[in-house]
Amino acid sequence: MLVREGETSYIRAIYIDPTRIGKDSFMGTTLAQLAELVDGKVFGDPDRVITGANIIRDAVAGEITLMDKPDQTALLMEDCQASAVLVREESEKLNIDGIVVANVHEAFGKIIRFFQPWEQTASAGIHRSAIVSLAAVVDPTATIGAGAVICDGVAIGKNAVIHSGVHIQAGCRIGEEVVIFPGAVLYDRTEVGDRCIIHANAVLGAFGFGYDSSSGKHILSAQLGNVVLESDVEIGAGAMVDRGTYGSTLIGEGTKIDNTVQIGHNCRLGKHNLICSQVGIAGSSTTGDYVVMAGQVGVRDHVHIGTGAMIGAKAGIGSDIPNGQQTLGVPGGPAKVILGEHMAIKKLPEMRKTIKSLVKRIEQLEKEAAAITEPVIRKAS
Amino acid sequence: MLVREGETSYIRAIYIDPTRIGKDSFMGTTLAQLAELVDGKVFGDPDRVITGANIIRDAVAGEITLMDKPDQTALLMEDCQASAVLVREESEKLNIDGIVVANVHEAFGKIIRFFQPWEQTASAGIHRSAIVSLAAVVDPTATIGAGAVICDGVAIGKNAVIHSGVHIQAGCRIGEEVVIFPGAVLYDRTEVGDRCIIHANAVLGAFGFGYDSSSGKHILSAQLGNVVLESDVEIGAGAMVDRGTYGSTLIGEGTKIDNTVQIGHNCRLGKHNLICSQVGIAGSSTTGDYVVMAGQVGVRDHVHIGTGAMIGAKAGIGSDIPNGQQTLGVPGGPAKVILGEHMAIKKLPEMRKTIKSLVKRIEQLEKEAAAITEPVIRKAS
Amino acid sequence: MLVREGETSYIRAIYIDPTRIGKDSFMGTTLAQLAELVDGKVFGDPDRVITGANIIRDAVAGEITLMDKPDQTALLMEDCQASAVLVREESEKLNIDGIVVANVHEAFGKIIRFFQPWEQTASAGIHRSAIVSLAAVVDPTATIGAGAVICDGVAIGKNAVIHSGVHIQAGCRIGEEVVIFPGAVLYDRTEVGDRCIIHANAVLGAFGFGYDSSSGKHILSAQLGNVVLESDVEIGAGAMVDRGTYGSTLIGEGTKIDNTVQIGHNCRLGKHNLICSQVGIAGSSTTGDYVVMAGQVGVRDHVHIGTGAMIGAKAGIGSDIPNGQQTLGVPGGPAKVILGEHMAIKKLPEMRKTIKSLVKRIEQLEKEAAAITEPVIRKAS
């Protein structure tokens, strides 16, 4: 078995120069050893020493890179300093050593990890500095990181990884194999399905933005609901999902939500949606399944986005969107219509010229008509 | 007095199956008991066992729901499985048991809380894991949560609740009955008025985005001011208010700021504003009172938004807005004007057709004119 | 040397009334003493007692203010209660005491700090409540705040200040004189150059939003890269920079990123960019040097913004932008073109009127033509 240098991180770390901020160098390993690691077949020199792994754009001499498309051959041969390449199949055009593997991405991932000096890992158990309520139940296979706060009545499932500094308030339920990154905050009674990933500083269950303003002051509405994530949901860093008024704000199975997205109170998102960064969805709106929203889309309250709808970047949705409709613009409309309008706007300056020339030509015609009609009519009379 | 099962949470929690992630079931309680709780009057069967409370859309058999509008009768009778309902007054059309109460929302809130297995509660005092400077002064009725950090010179008022993991830097003043949720960060000298609510991961007092770029590098401007929240302000999760350059960035009394809103340095917001999610207001801009900004509005620096102005979603404000003006669009203008432009844009494709047909008709007229004029003129001469 | 009252903060703090939330009052100091502090020259009464410092807009009686532009004289004399002023040079128009200094901003900063009751300061060393891995290396001159979590393999450079509650995951490298504010999260292997400032609750290195959706589920792509900040970068509060797929997401030297900006995976920003609040840049896009993006700009994936380009607020960039181009609009185009379109849109209602009148005039001409042609032709025949 291949053993990486410095495998025992505690020992190795002692020898790092504290003032040296930059990339580690390694003694390197041979192409043959890497081929063994990824179950591949060497072509070229098996004893070539490889010191790291990097993408074509960034690889330097000594590193191995990957080629996942045939049309990268020229790029690799002419603009890249890499000393070896991972490929699906050998080629006469590749004048470089390398390894042939069935799945280049999987193999490249293994090699990157091999050369990576450090990786954040989880070890089951509760860190001595975590604050875990006696009235919480944590599965023995779960990990609770340093300084994490787990309040009364929380239940945490098998193999869940709660990173450092996560705050999980009373009555939350965390499913199996869930990962929650540092600084995420789950207000009371949030429910998180199996295999969800919640990124750093995301907030689930903050108050909805609903007020009774009839008195001249804004009086906060009820905040008695919660947030429910079904299984396989991913919540981006700094993303926000507000709690329901009485019921639940729901994110459907397999839906992925990017960084700093805002989901208002009482919303119900369907399954397998992709909601890109900085999208905002106002209260009580709903989506079907497989909805895609590009970046910075805004959706008003109480509308429904149909299954399979795709909303283009920066669109503003003010009314229901039918299933499967590609939608653009502010206010949003069918992509074809909006693109037609964009084209028409681009032609506005030309249109103005045309109109001006029409005005002149008509004036000319009117003059002529006046000039002609009179004598003609005189003559004719 | 009615006692909920499992009232003593520490004992009850021990019996939760750690691998069971899902909703608790309760033995239930009778409609008569709930009526006693909310000071209401039963109609139908007082001994009906109720196991939970939910909104009409989500209620299942055994649960009680609420009806706050008369037109929900059909929905309740046909599409809802609830076993009982909270209403303002009895009706022959309601073929279901229930409770009549004066205020259905208040009563429903009480019942939801009764059935809720857990709620995040505060108990006055400083958690053993909180880090509180000897040079900070915390009122004995205030709560400081686990891992919260309270620095030198901070003063925290009566009944304030500082949740876990809040960071309050030197010299901050926190008023009475303020609530600050986990992960919020208050840079030094932030002042927070009475009854403010600051949600999770909000940041008050980070550096303004102001630089002197004359040297080719961007040199940060002075960051000597602070952030001041007057009383009854709410700051949403992940919202940001930057500190003033020398003076204060000010949020007026009763103003509510939604999640991930950005307020630039030296801004001064008036009283009772409603600033919806993802709005950005650049440095030194000001607002009057009762201003409303819908989601994703952007306001440039150094402009004033007058009292009572309403800014529509996604508008981009580049100049002062008069009091009370409804404003839309990018760049923003009076709603009527912008809606007129939107209508005109919708008609652009039609306009283009009209113009094309005009061109043809004029060409035809010109031809005819040429054809006619010549012989006529010849004849006439 | 001038000693401020209450310099020993621990003693002074004991005497603060815990229920008094508001500004401190000081006994004050004389104008002569302040002039000594800022190496300036008094004009007027050197014994005048000054109790604080504030900008012209906010200064009250007893306070000193600054005048950095000559045209503020009227404002200062008529609308400001300040008792003294800092100026570059004396003027007969200034009927007020004051101090002349070479650099008013630097001097005003010193005076503000003098009157400030508290300031967040850093003292080298590791707070007893910080969790620092034995396999991390912290320079002895660095500061690690309360509850900060420093994982395996992290290296922290000279004079770096890591505030309370910062989470730095395995293998991160933090340069010299870096400041990281509370709640910021650095995922594993993030690299931070010298003198960078990272504000509260920023997140560096969260997963990129990239999925393989061919199976009907969204399967997360590789997350093996990292985030690299070159030197002198500033990252705003709540800003997010996602990690590269295999390589690095890179922020170039001197580039400043405002609050809640989102930078997607594999992006490479050039040097000395200014990226304003709420901008979103999708994956794999790149910028040259000295690029400026105003607030709420969106940039799609895989585009390049050329050196010196300036992108106006709320623009949506869907394709490459040439060096130096001023760009506006959605979709973005050269500022002149887009402003022309905006003008044209403003004239649309007028254009519609013109077209309607043209239609009438043509109809009239056609009628006349029909009326004239027939008899004329008849006559002529």
Side-chain angles (χ1 to χ4, degrees), chain B residues 27-50:
Chain B
M27 298 276 289
T29 186
T30 66
L31 206 54
Q33 285 174 308
L34 289 179
E36 191 190 332
L37 177 71
V38 299
D39 201 16
K41 182 174 151 273
V42 173
F43 57 90
D45 178 8
D47 294 327
R48 177 171 291 281
V49 172
I50 302 298

Side-chain angles (χ1 to χ4, degrees), chain A residues 187 206-207, chain B residues 161-163 166 168 173-174 178-186 190-193 195-204 229 233-239 257:
Chain A
Y187 281 51
F207 292 0
Chain B
V161 176
I162 312 300
H163 281 255
V166 169
I168 303 185
R173 307 298 174 106
I174 310 299
V178 166
V179 180
I180 308 184
F181 283 94
V185 176
L186 282 61
T190 300
E191 299 177 17
V192 178
R195 294 173 304 281
C196 286
I197 300 173
I198 299 172
H199 281 281
N201 290 344
V203 178
L204 305 181
L229 309 185
V233 167
E234 185 169 353
I235 302 285
I257 289 177

Side-chain angles (χ1 to χ4, degrees), chain A residues 87-218:
Chain A
V87 288
R88 273 201 202 85
E89 46 190 30
E90 275 189 78
S91 154
E92 289 183 359
K93 292 177 190 159
L94 287 172
N95 185 21
I96 184 173
D97 301 330
I99 305 175
V100 174
V101 287
N103 185 329
V104 287
H105 287 278
E106 192 186 311
F108 194 60
K110 272 188 192 164
I111 292 176
I112 280 190
R113 283 210 156 102
F114 171 75
F115 283 112
Q116 239 165 232
W118 300 96
E119 193 173 1
Q120 189 69 20
T121 52
S123 50
I126 298 175
H127 191 276
R128 63 180 163 80
S129 67
I131 308 293
V132 179
S133 162
L134 288 174
V137 186
V138 177
D139 189 275
T141 62
T143 306
I144 310 287
V149 176
I150 313 295
C151 297
D152 293 354
V154 171
I156 294 182
K158 282 183 191 166
N159 299 313
V161 177
I162 312 301
H163 280 255
S164 63
V166 168
H167 299 266
I168 304 185
Q169 298 207 320
C172 289
R173 306 297 172 109
I174 311 298
E176 300 182 3
E177 292 172 47
V178 166
V179 180
I180 308 184
F181 283 94
V185 175
L186 281 61
Y187 281 51
D188 55 292
R189 289 177 295 113
T190 300
E191 298 177 16
V192 177
D194 295 342
R195 295 173 303 281
C196 286
I197 299 173
I198 299 172
H199 281 281
N201 290 343
V203 178
L204 305 180
F207 292 0
F209 199 68
Y211 300 90
D212 173 358
S213 304
S214 55
S215 68
K217 292 186 178 186
H218 307 300

Side-chain angles (χ1 to χ4, degrees), chain A residues 167 170 187 211 216 246 268, chain B residues 57 105 120 164 199 234 259 290:
Chain A
H167 299 266
Y187 281 51
Y211 300 90
Y246 295 116
R268 296 177 86 85
Chain B
R57 188 187 63 190
H105 287 278
Q120 189 68 21
S164 63
H199 281 281
E234 185 169 353
N259 298 352
Y290 293 102

Side-chain angles (χ1 to χ4, degrees), chain A residues 2-3 5 11 14 35 46 51 94 102 132 141 187 191 208 238 259 281 289 325-326 329 367:
Chain A
L2 192 66
V3 175
E5 298 184 27
I11 290 169
I14 290 166
T51 56
L94 287 172
V132 179
T141 62
Y187 281 51
E191 298 177 16
N259 298 351
I281 305 181
D289 300 336
Q325 183 178 285
Q326 303 215 2
K367 263 190 222 162

Side-chain angles (χ1 to χ4, degrees), chain C residues 80-147:
Chain C
C80 178
Q81 308 290 319
S83 298
V85 66
L86 269 180
V87 289
R88 273 202 202 86
E89 46 190 30
E90 274 188 78
S91 153
E92 289 183 0
K93 292 176 190 159
L94 286 173
N95 186 20
I96 184 174
D97 300 330
I99 306 175
V100 174
V101 288
N103 184 329
V104 286
H105 287 278
E106 192 186 312
F108 194 59
K110 273 189 192 165
I111 293 177
I112 281 190
R113 283 209 156 103
F114 171 76
F115 282 113
Q116 239 165 233
W118 300 97
E119 193 174 1
Q120 190 68 22
T121 53
S123 49
I126 298 175
H127 191 276
R128 63 177 164 82
S129 67
I131 309 293
V132 179
S133 163
L134 288 173
V137 187
V138 178
D139 189 275
T141 62
T143 306
I144 310 287

Side-chain angles (χ1 to χ4, degrees), chain C residues 164-328:
Chain C
S164 62
V166 169
H167 298 265
I168 303 185
Q169 297 207 321
C172 290
R173 307 297 173 108
I174 311 299
E176 300 183 4
E177 291 171 49
V178 165
V179 180
I180 308 184
F181 283 93
V185 176
L186 281 62
Y187 282 51
D188 55 294
R189 291 178 295 113
T190 300
E191 299 177 16
V192 178
D194 295 342
R195 295 173 304 280
C196 286
I197 300 174
I198 299 173
H199 281 281
N201 290 343
V203 178
L204 304 181
F207 292 0
F209 198 69
Y211 300 90
D212 172 358
S213 304
S214 55
S215 69
K217 293 187 177 185
H218 306 302
I219 307 300
L220 196 58
S221 60
Q223 302 292 340
L224 295 164
N226 69 344
V227 168
V228 175
L229 309 185
E230 293 183 354
S231 59
D232 298 293
V233 167
E234 185 169 354
I235 301 286
M240 309 285 152
V241 185
D242 282 351
R243 70 195 306 112
T245 308
Y246 295 118
S248 298
T249 303
L250 178 81
I251 311 294
E253 179 191 325
T255 284
K256 313 296 185 185
I257 289 178
D258 199 359
N259 298 352
T260 70
V261 165
Q262 153 72 5
I263 311 282
H265 57 293
N266 302 327
C267 283
R268 296 176 87 85
L269 270 58
K271 298 183 198 300
H272 308 296
N273 287 197
L274 287 176
I275 310 293
C276 292
S277 179
Q278 297 180 327
V279 166
I281 305 181
S284 300
S285 286
T286 56
T287 68
D289 300 335
Y290 291 101
V291 168
V292 177
M293 298 191 199
Q296 298 182 334
V297 164
V299 178
R300 69 162 286 167
D301 56 303
H302 290 90
V303 302
H304 178 72
I305 314 289
T307 286
M310 300 185 68
I311 317 288
K314 280 184 173 287
I317 306 302
S319 53
D320 290 359
I321 301 293
N323 287 357
Q325 183 178 285
Q326 302 214 4
T327 302
L328 293 176

